[in-house]
Amino acid sequence: MIALVDGNNFYVSCEKVFNPALDGKPVVVLSNNDGCVISRSNEAKALGIKMGEPAFKRKEFMEQNNVTVFSSNYTLYGDLSNRMMKTLQNFSPNVEVYSIDEAFVSLEGITANTEDYAHKIKATIHKHIGIPVGVGVAETKTLSKIANKIAKKNNGVCVIDSETKKEWALRNTLIADVWGVGRQYAKKLNSIGIITAYDFTKLDSAWIRKNMSVVGLRTKEELLGTPCIAMEMNLQPKKNIATTRAFGKKLSDVNIISEAVSTHAVRCAEKLRRQKSRAQYITIFIHTDPFSQTEKYVYKSKTLTLAIASNNNSDLVKYAIHGLKELFEPKLLYKKVGVIVSGISDEMQVQGSLFEGMNDKKRDTVSIITDQLNFRFGKDVVKLAVQGNNPDWKLRQEKLSPHYTTRWNELLKVKA
DNA sequence: TCTGGGGTCCTAGGACCC
DNA sequence: TCTGGGGTCCTAGGACCC
């Protein structure tokens, strides 16, 4: 059996850990740049605030209804997530961290009563981290996702361990809510009369193969109880790494945009070094405001091949700036730039270049020491001059909560 | 005025090889 | 006049996930 443990309204729940007075009140967390609503408390959902809604459209409504609003604080959520995953590892040696707020936990070899065990997991996470979770248990990942959804409507735990329960669960789950079935497939399936997960398990496999590829076929088998999606316990290195941000305000100055691009490139380099990889390609993209009524939308991108795969700051920045200069058109008002690195290989296995020799060890050392200093003293304490200091491209984060668990000077103060 | 930021996998079709 | 049969690699686009 596999348990899916999933934090309820995760980002909002993280904020509530340090603001217990918010319990029972409407709370939302916004995306970067305070753009869209990306996490809502149950009370906020009840008010009709939708996932992904632009915050500015709901500003007045949220003020009138005393909704507490937070900018996203990924440092905090990431830290609480790590703690949650560590706690889960006490329950099973086989934990797959699936996303920031959920994990699959293999219950293979656990002899305790499944229902009791699931309740114990839920209670322990709540006690240790302060986050409410739902636990869904079933034979396959796809079924445990369904169990988890049912759990959240009940007391937080749902175990599907018999044919009767399975059929009930499948009959009471819309096909659109099944893991692996998105909007497009749901529409197509509904149009031929497939409404529930149960209907889908009765659908002809050849039709599924033809219209939804092998991925759809796996979903059908998983719903029937045959595992097709394995547990993946080891963190796999990323095949693509991206750092992209919308600007705090629209920009047309290439020098300021260069600061943003080079900082994004450095972030990508840091992510590469963290997973001990190097990248062979770098893509730079830039675009204007896609929502603008008055200006035309312009999107451009450029992919460059590095002479030698690299993960050091100055290499990636050099290529990124080069790419930007090729894309940049004066007089346009830009809204966002991004850097994506790909062609990722192991740090230790680098193909040298016929013309440029091997990697420059000195520059790699500089990057490593920069990492150490920045980890100890704070992000970008040591940086390249081109990264600059102009605030215009930086995110809007007007409602940011403190970094309660990761910065000494932002620790919660308690009066006793 | 104000609309996020990451990822993965699969397939078809074209270009190429013998 | 007749024009096979087997592969691989790459890319763009489309679907999905959080």
Side-chain angles (χ1 to χ4, degrees), chain A residues 216-344:
Chain A
L217 220 42
R218 279 185 206 132
T219 300
K220 175 179 170 180
E221 287 301 316
E222 284 249 324
L223 290 175
L224 289 168
T226 311
C228 299
I229 307 171
M231 290 283 291
E232 192 57 74
M233 262 70 78
N234 300 319
L235 208 60
Q236 298 299 311
K238 300 258 185 285
K239 298 171 178 174
N240 298 288
I241 289 174
T243 305
T244 71
R245 293 284 179 281
F247 303 133
K249 54 171 105 162
K250 296 181 194 175
L251 296 173
S252 56
D253 181 334
V254 72
N255 293 316
I256 301 176
I257 297 174
S258 295
E259 292 187 7
V261 166
S262 43
T263 302
H264 296 344
V266 167
R267 288 287 99 75
C268 284
E270 286 170 354
K271 293 176 189 175
L272 282 167
R273 293 196 289 274
R274 207 177 309 145
Q275 70 165 28
K276 304 198 182 308
S277 311
R278 296 178 197 271
Q280 186 74 65
Y281 309 106
I282 181 166
T283 303
I284 298 89
F285 72 80
I286 183 162
H287 66 76
T288 60
D289 181 359
F291 301 101
S292 173
Q293 304 289 324
T294 50
E295 307 141 36
K296 68 168 180 171
Y297 179 54
V298 177
Y299 174 100
K300 290 169 122 188
S301 80
K302 176 90 192 170
T303 300
L304 301 170
T305 304
L306 278 69
I308 310 166
S310 171
N311 62 10
N312 82 51
N313 292 356
S314 48
D315 276 346
L316 292 182
V317 166
K318 185 178 75 186
Y319 281 92
I321 295 282
H322 186 79
L324 174 67
K325 297 254 156 87
E326 282 193 30
L327 298 176
F328 185 80
E329 271 181 63
K331 291 186 191 141
L332 290 176
L333 281 172
Y334 293 102
K335 185 60 191 167
K336 182 174 181 174
V337 285
V339 175
I340 303 164
V341 293
S342 55
I344 288 174

Side-chain angles (χ1 to χ4, degrees), chain A residues 121-177:
Chain A
I121 292 176
K122 178 177 150 61
T124 308
I125 300 285
H126 196 255
K127 187 175 173 193
H128 288 192
I129 324 294
I131 300 278
V133 297
V135 184
V137 188
E139 298 165 278
T140 66
K141 283 182 167 181
T142 308
L143 283 171
S144 71
K145 276 273 195 183
I146 288 180
N148 183 278
K149 208 155 225 161
I150 296 170
K152 287 196 175 159
K153 288 187 210 145
N154 299 302
N155 62 2
V157 170
C158 170
V159 179
I160 299 176
D161 56 359
S162 71
E163 285 303 311
T164 325
K165 286 187 197 171
K166 187 161 83 189
E167 186 174 328
W168 184 90
L170 292 175
R171 283 187 187 277
N172 286 278
T173 299
L174 294 175
I175 188 61
D177 291 338

